Amino acid sequence: MGQCGITSSKTVLVFLNLIFWGAAGILCYVGAYVFITYDDYDHFFEDVYTLFPAVVIMAVGALLFIIGLIGCCATIRESRCGLATFVFILLLVFVTEVVVVVLGYVYRAKVENEVDRSIQKVYKTYNGTNSDAASRAIDYVQRQLHCCGIHNYSDWENTDWFKETKNQSVPLSCCRETARSCNGSLANPSDLYAEGCEALVVKKLQEILMHVIWAALAFAAIQVSRVTKQLLSEVVCPLVSAEIALATKQSESSCTSQQFPKAQNALKKL
Protein backbone atom coordinates (compact mmCIF):
# COMPACT_ATOMS: atom_id res chain seq x y z
CA MET A 1 0.00 0.00 0.00
CA GLY A 2 2.88 2.36 0.80
CA GLN A 3 4.17 2.05 -2.73
CA CYS A 4 0.72 3.04 -4.07
CA GLY A 5 0.44 0.05 -6.34
CA ILE A 6 3.73 0.59 -8.19
CA THR A 7 3.57 -2.72 -10.04
CA SER A 8 -0.02 -2.12 -11.14
CA SER A 9 0.80 1.44 -12.21
CA LYS A 10 3.74 0.27 -14.32
CA THR A 11 1.54 -2.30 -16.05
CA VAL A 12 -1.09 0.34 -16.83
CA LEU A 13 1.54 2.77 -18.13
CA VAL A 14 3.05 0.16 -20.44
CA PHE A 15 -0.43 -0.72 -21.71
CA LEU A 16 -1.16 2.97 -22.35
CA ASN A 17 2.08 3.21 -24.32
CA LEU A 18 0.84 0.40 -26.56
CA ILE A 19 -2.40 2.31 -27.10
CA PHE A 20 -0.23 5.31 -27.80
CA TRP A 21 1.59 3.50 -30.61
CA GLY A 22 -1.70 2.37 -32.09
CA ALA A 23 -3.03 5.93 -32.06
CA ALA A 24 0.19 7.18 -33.66
CA GLY A 25 -0.27 4.64 -36.44
CA ILE A 26 -3.81 5.91 -37.00
CA LEU A 27 -2.51 9.48 -37.25
CA CYS A 28 0.01 8.45 -39.91
CA TYR A 29 -2.73 6.59 -41.79
CA VAL A 30 -5.05 9.61 -41.73
CA GLY A 31 -2.28 11.89 -42.95
CA ALA A 32 -1.41 9.50 -45.80
CA TYR A 33 -5.11 9.20 -46.71
CA VAL A 34 -5.36 12.98 -46.99
CA PHE A 35 -2.33 13.10 -49.30
CA ILE A 36 -3.63 10.32 -51.54
CA THR A 37 -7.13 11.75 -51.76
CA TYR A 38 -5.88 15.28 -52.31
CA ASP A 39 -3.94 14.06 -55.35
CA ASP A 40 -7.26 13.23 -57.03
CA TYR A 41 -8.65 16.71 -56.40
CA ASP A 42 -5.55 18.90 -56.60
CA HIS A 43 -6.75 20.56 -59.83
CA PHE A 44 -9.77 21.92 -57.96
CA PHE A 45 -7.81 23.28 -55.01
CA GLU A 46 -4.67 25.27 -55.71
CA ASP A 47 -3.77 26.17 -52.11
CA VAL A 48 -1.21 23.49 -51.22
CA TYR A 49 -1.02 24.86 -47.66
CA THR A 50 -4.24 22.96 -47.04
CA LEU A 51 -2.02 19.91 -46.69
CA PHE A 52 -0.10 21.50 -43.82
CA PRO A 53 -2.34 19.98 -41.09
CA ALA A 54 -1.87 16.55 -42.70
CA VAL A 55 1.92 17.03 -42.84
CA VAL A 56 2.02 18.02 -39.17
CA ILE A 57 -0.19 15.14 -38.07
CA MET A 58 1.99 12.61 -39.94
CA ALA A 59 5.13 14.09 -38.37
CA VAL A 60 3.51 13.90 -34.93
CA GLY A 61 2.48 10.30 -35.53
CA ALA A 62 6.01 9.30 -36.56
CA LEU A 63 7.52 11.15 -33.61
CA LEU A 64 5.15 9.50 -31.17
CA PHE A 65 6.38 6.05 -32.13
CA ILE A 66 9.81 7.09 -30.85
CA ILE A 67 8.40 8.91 -27.82
CA GLY A 68 6.27 5.88 -26.93
CA LEU A 69 9.41 3.73 -26.90
CA ILE A 70 11.16 6.21 -24.62
CA GLY A 71 8.15 6.31 -22.28
CA CYS A 72 7.90 2.54 -22.18
CA CYS A 73 11.61 2.12 -21.32
CA ALA A 74 11.44 4.90 -18.72
CA THR A 75 8.39 3.27 -17.11
CA ILE A 76 10.01 -0.16 -16.90
CA ARG A 77 13.27 1.24 -15.50
CA GLU A 78 11.39 3.65 -13.19
CA SER A 79 13.45 6.57 -14.48
CA ARG A 80 11.94 9.75 -13.05
CA CYS A 81 14.00 11.94 -15.37
CA GLY A 82 12.95 9.92 -18.42
CA LEU A 83 9.28 9.99 -17.43
CA ALA A 84 9.37 13.72 -16.71
CA THR A 85 10.90 14.34 -20.16
CA PHE A 86 8.31 12.07 -21.69
CA VAL A 87 5.43 14.00 -20.10
CA PHE A 88 6.95 17.34 -21.18
CA ILE A 89 7.25 16.20 -24.80
CA LEU A 90 3.69 14.91 -24.69
CA LEU A 91 2.51 18.33 -23.60
CA LEU A 92 4.34 19.91 -26.54
CA VAL A 93 2.77 17.40 -28.90
CA PHE A 94 -0.63 18.15 -27.38
CA VAL A 95 -0.17 21.85 -28.14
CA THR A 96 0.83 20.96 -31.71
CA GLU A 97 -2.36 18.92 -32.13
CA VAL A 98 -4.44 21.85 -30.91
CA VAL A 99 -2.74 23.94 -33.60
CA VAL A 100 -3.60 21.26 -36.18
CA VAL A 101 -7.27 21.41 -35.17
CA VAL A 102 -7.33 25.20 -35.45
CA LEU A 103 -5.60 25.15 -38.86
CA GLY A 104 -7.96 22.41 -40.01
CA TYR A 105 -10.99 24.57 -39.26
CA VAL A 106 -9.36 27.63 -40.87
CA TYR A 107 -8.57 25.83 -44.13
CA ARG A 108 -11.93 24.06 -44.08
CA ALA A 109 -13.62 27.46 -44.20
CA LYS A 110 -11.48 28.45 -47.20
CA VAL A 111 -12.30 25.37 -49.28
CA GLU A 112 -15.48 26.73 -50.87
CA ASN A 113 -13.85 29.91 -52.20
CA GLU A 114 -10.79 28.03 -53.45
CA VAL A 115 -12.84 25.44 -55.33
CA ASP A 116 -15.13 28.10 -56.81
CA ARG A 117 -12.12 29.93 -58.23
CA SER A 118 -10.26 26.86 -59.50
CA ILE A 119 -13.06 24.75 -60.93
CA GLN A 120 -13.97 27.37 -63.53
CA LYS A 121 -10.43 27.25 -64.93
CA VAL A 122 -10.31 23.46 -64.99
CA TYR A 123 -13.57 23.08 -66.94
CA LYS A 124 -12.47 25.71 -69.46
CA THR A 125 -9.27 23.80 -70.23
CA TYR A 126 -11.04 20.45 -70.72
CA ASN A 127 -10.23 18.88 -74.11
CA GLY A 128 -11.51 15.34 -73.65
CA THR A 129 -8.13 13.61 -74.13
CA ASN A 130 -6.74 11.14 -71.62
CA SER A 131 -3.28 12.67 -71.91
CA ASP A 132 -4.49 15.94 -70.41
CA ALA A 133 -4.27 15.97 -66.60
CA ALA A 134 -7.16 18.43 -66.17
CA SER A 135 -9.42 16.35 -68.42
CA ARG A 136 -8.59 13.18 -66.49
CA ALA A 137 -9.31 14.98 -63.21
CA ILE A 138 -12.74 16.14 -64.41
CA ASP A 139 -13.72 12.72 -65.74
CA TYR A 140 -12.54 11.09 -62.52
CA VAL A 141 -14.51 13.48 -60.31
CA GLN A 142 -17.68 13.18 -62.39
CA ARG A 143 -17.56 9.38 -62.25
CA GLN A 144 -16.62 9.15 -58.57
CA LEU A 145 -18.99 11.82 -57.25
CA HIS A 146 -21.79 11.13 -59.75
CA CYS A 147 -22.00 14.70 -60.95
CA CYS A 148 -21.90 16.63 -64.21
CA GLY A 149 -20.72 20.18 -64.88
CA ILE A 150 -20.04 22.86 -62.30
CA HIS A 151 -23.61 23.42 -61.12
CA ASN A 152 -25.39 21.03 -63.54
CA TYR A 153 -24.84 19.44 -66.96
CA SER A 154 -25.91 22.60 -68.82
CA ASP A 155 -22.62 24.26 -67.78
CA TRP A 156 -20.87 22.21 -70.47
CA GLU A 157 -22.56 24.33 -73.17
CA ASN A 158 -20.31 27.25 -72.17
CA THR A 159 -17.04 25.34 -72.51
CA ASP A 160 -14.70 25.51 -75.51
CA TRP A 161 -14.75 21.71 -75.80
CA PHE A 162 -18.54 21.67 -76.25
CA LYS A 163 -18.40 24.40 -78.89
CA GLU A 164 -15.61 22.66 -80.80
CA THR A 165 -17.23 19.22 -80.88
CA LYS A 166 -20.60 20.62 -82.05
CA ASN A 167 -22.38 17.36 -81.25
CA GLN A 168 -24.63 18.68 -78.46
CA SER A 169 -23.25 16.21 -75.96
CA VAL A 170 -21.32 16.19 -72.71
CA PRO A 171 -18.44 13.86 -71.70
CA LEU A 172 -19.35 10.22 -71.16
CA SER A 173 -18.27 10.59 -67.53
CA CYS A 174 -21.56 12.46 -67.03
CA CYS A 175 -23.57 9.33 -67.87
CA ARG A 176 -25.36 7.55 -65.06
CA GLU A 177 -24.16 4.05 -64.31
CA THR A 178 -27.64 2.71 -64.95
CA ALA A 179 -27.89 4.34 -68.39
CA ARG A 180 -26.05 1.75 -70.49
CA SER A 181 -26.91 3.27 -73.88
CA CYS A 182 -25.91 6.80 -72.84
CA ASN A 183 -23.75 8.72 -75.32
CA GLY A 184 -23.73 12.01 -73.42
CA SER A 185 -26.38 13.63 -75.60
CA LEU A 186 -28.24 16.57 -74.05
CA ALA A 187 -31.34 15.28 -75.84
CA ASN A 188 -31.57 12.61 -73.11
CA PRO A 189 -30.98 14.51 -69.84
CA SER A 190 -32.40 11.64 -67.78
CA ASP A 191 -29.27 9.64 -68.69
CA LEU A 192 -27.01 12.30 -67.16
CA TYR A 193 -26.13 13.13 -63.58
CA ALA A 194 -28.24 16.12 -62.57
CA GLU A 195 -26.11 17.44 -59.71
CA GLY A 196 -23.15 19.74 -60.29
CA CYS A 197 -19.63 18.87 -59.17
CA GLU A 198 -18.64 22.04 -57.33
CA ALA A 199 -20.75 21.45 -54.24
CA LEU A 200 -19.72 17.79 -54.08
CA VAL A 201 -16.01 18.59 -54.45
CA VAL A 202 -16.29 21.15 -51.64
CA LYS A 203 -18.06 18.60 -49.46
CA LYS A 204 -15.44 15.95 -50.20
CA LEU A 205 -12.49 18.23 -49.40
CA GLN A 206 -14.14 19.41 -46.20
CA GLU A 207 -14.70 15.80 -45.18
CA ILE A 208 -11.00 15.10 -45.77
CA LEU A 209 -10.02 17.96 -43.47
CA MET A 210 -12.54 16.77 -40.88
CA HIS A 211 -10.72 13.42 -40.79
CA VAL A 212 -7.59 15.30 -39.76
CA ILE A 213 -9.47 17.37 -37.19
CA TRP A 214 -11.22 14.39 -35.59
CA ALA A 215 -8.02 12.35 -35.54
CA ALA A 216 -6.16 15.19 -33.80
CA LEU A 217 -9.00 15.69 -31.29
CA ALA A 218 -9.27 11.98 -30.51
CA PHE A 219 -5.55 11.63 -30.01
CA ALA A 220 -5.42 14.79 -27.89
CA ALA A 221 -8.05 13.21 -25.63
CA ILE A 222 -5.92 10.08 -25.33
CA GLN A 223 -2.92 12.22 -24.45
CA VAL A 224 -4.84 14.09 -21.76
CA SER A 225 -5.76 10.81 -20.07
CA ARG A 226 -2.22 9.52 -20.58
CA VAL A 227 -0.56 12.60 -19.05
CA THR A 228 -3.08 12.64 -16.20
CA LYS A 229 -2.25 9.04 -15.38
CA GLN A 230 1.46 9.81 -15.59
CA LEU A 231 1.13 12.79 -13.25
CA LEU A 232 -0.94 10.78 -10.79
CA SER A 233 1.58 7.95 -10.68
CA GLU A 234 4.71 10.09 -10.66
CA VAL A 235 3.65 13.14 -8.63
CA VAL A 236 0.49 12.52 -6.61
CA CYS A 237 1.31 8.99 -5.54
CA PRO A 238 4.82 9.81 -4.22
CA LEU A 239 3.46 12.88 -2.41
CA VAL A 240 0.71 10.85 -0.76
CA SER A 241 3.21 8.16 0.22
CA ALA A 242 5.55 10.79 1.64
CA GLU A 243 2.72 12.37 3.67
CA ILE A 244 1.70 8.97 5.05
CA ALA A 245 5.31 8.14 5.97
CA LEU A 246 5.75 11.52 7.65
CA ALA A 247 2.51 11.20 9.60
CA THR A 248 3.49 7.68 10.71
CA LYS A 249 6.92 8.88 11.81
CA GLN A 250 5.45 11.78 13.78
CA SER A 251 2.95 9.45 15.42
CA GLU A 252 5.68 7.04 16.49
CA SER A 253 7.82 9.92 17.78
CA SER A 254 4.91 11.31 19.80
CA CYS A 255 4.15 7.91 21.24
CA THR A 256 7.79 7.42 22.30
CA SER A 257 8.01 10.87 23.92
CA GLN A 258 4.88 10.19 25.97
CA GLN A 259 6.05 6.80 27.17
CA PHE A 260 9.59 7.90 28.09
CA PRO A 261 8.64 10.12 31.16
CA LYS A 262 6.41 7.32 32.50
CA ALA A 263 9.33 4.93 32.38
CA GLN A 264 11.55 7.42 34.24
CA ASN A 265 8.97 7.86 37.04
CA ALA A 266 8.70 4.12 37.43
CA LEU A 267 12.47 3.82 37.82
CA LYS A 268 12.56 6.56 40.49
CA LYS A 269 9.95 4.77 42.57
CA LEU A 270 12.05 1.64 42.52
Side-chain angles (χ1 to χ4, degrees):
M1 292 296 293
Q3 293 183 345
C4 200
I6 292 177
T7 303
S8 177
S9 297
K10 287 173 64 176
T11 302
V12 172
L13 290 175
V14 172
F15 177 72
L16 286 174
N17 273 313
L18 295 177
I19 296 177
F20 215 51
W21 283 330
I26 293 174
L27 288 182
C28 291
Y29 172 79
V30 171
Y33 169 77
V34 172
F35 269 98
I36 294 171
T37 307
Y38 179 83
D39 187 56
D40 297 326
Y41 297 90
D42 59 349
H43 286 84
F44 304 96
F45 202 85
E46 298 177 351
D47 189 358
V48 295
Y49 293 105
T50 308
L51 291 175
F52 183 70
V55 173
V56 175
I57 208 170
M58 286 185 68
V60 169
L63 179 63
L64 286 175
F65 276 112
I66 301 173
I67 296 175
L69 180 62
I70 295 173
C72 192
C73 293
T75 300
I76 293 173
R77 294 187 177 185
E78 299 183 21
S79 172
R80 290 184 176 274
C81 180
L83 288 172
T85 303
F86 181 60
V87 173
F88 176 73
I89 296 175
L90 281 183
L91 291 174
L92 291 180
V93 171
F94 175 77
V95 173
T96 304
E97 287 167 346
V98 173
V99 172
V100 168
V101 172
V102 173
L103 289 176
Y105 273 107
V106 170
Y107 285 117
R108 189 173 181 271
K110 295 172 59 179
V111 165
E112 188 170 356
N113 292 333
E114 285 287 335
V115 171
D116 183 60
R117 184 173 64 252
S118 301
I119 201 169
Q120 302 283 347
K121 299 177 183 178
V122 178
Y123 269 84
K124 285 182 179 180
T125 59
Y126 184 86
N127 60 20
T129 61
N130 193 50
S131 59
D132 181 59
S135 298
R136 289 199 307 271
I138 290 175
D139 288 333
Y140 173 83
V141 166
Q142 291 189 153
R143 289 193 180 98
Q144 290 295 315
L145 301 183
H146 299 168
C147 58
C148 184
I150 299 174
H151 303 102
N152 54 60
Y153 58 79
S154 64
D155 292 325
W156 280 104
E157 298 181 35
N158 301 320
T159 62
D160 295 334
W161 174 84
F162 184 88
K163 295 173 183 177
E164 290 173 2
T165 56
K166 299 179 181 180
N167 58 6
Q168 297 297 306
S169 64
V170 296
L172 295 178
S173 56
C174 283
C175 293
R176 295 178 182 273
E177 293 179 347
T178 55
R180 297 184 179 181
S181 60
C182 176
N183 59 3
S185 175
L186 292 176
N188 300 308
S190 60
D191 292 342
L192 309 175
Y193 293 121
E195 192 170 0
C197 293
E198 181 178 358
L200 295 178
V201 169
V202 170
K203 181 180 178 181
K204 183 68 175 179
L205 290 172
Q206 288 180 337
E207 286 177 354
I208 293 172
L209 288 175
M210 280 306 299
H211 288 322
V212 175
I213 292 171
W214 281 115
L217 284 174
F219 193 68
I222 293 174
Q223 281 183 267
V224 169
S225 62
R226 175 68 175 84
V227 172
T228 301
K229 177 64 180 178
Q230 195 80 27
L231 291 175
L232 286 174
S233 61
E234 296 302 315
V235 178
V236 177
C237 181
L239 287 176
V240 171
S241 299
E243 289 293 333
I244 293 175
L246 181 61
T248 302
K249 186 176 180 180
Q250 290 177 345
S251 177
E252 291 176 351
S253 176
S254 175
C255 181
T256 303
S257 62
Q258 289 178 0
Q259 291 178 351
F260 185 71
K262 293 182 179 179
Q264 283 185 328
N265 293 333
L267 289 172
K268 288 180 179 179
K269 291 181 180 180
L270 292 174

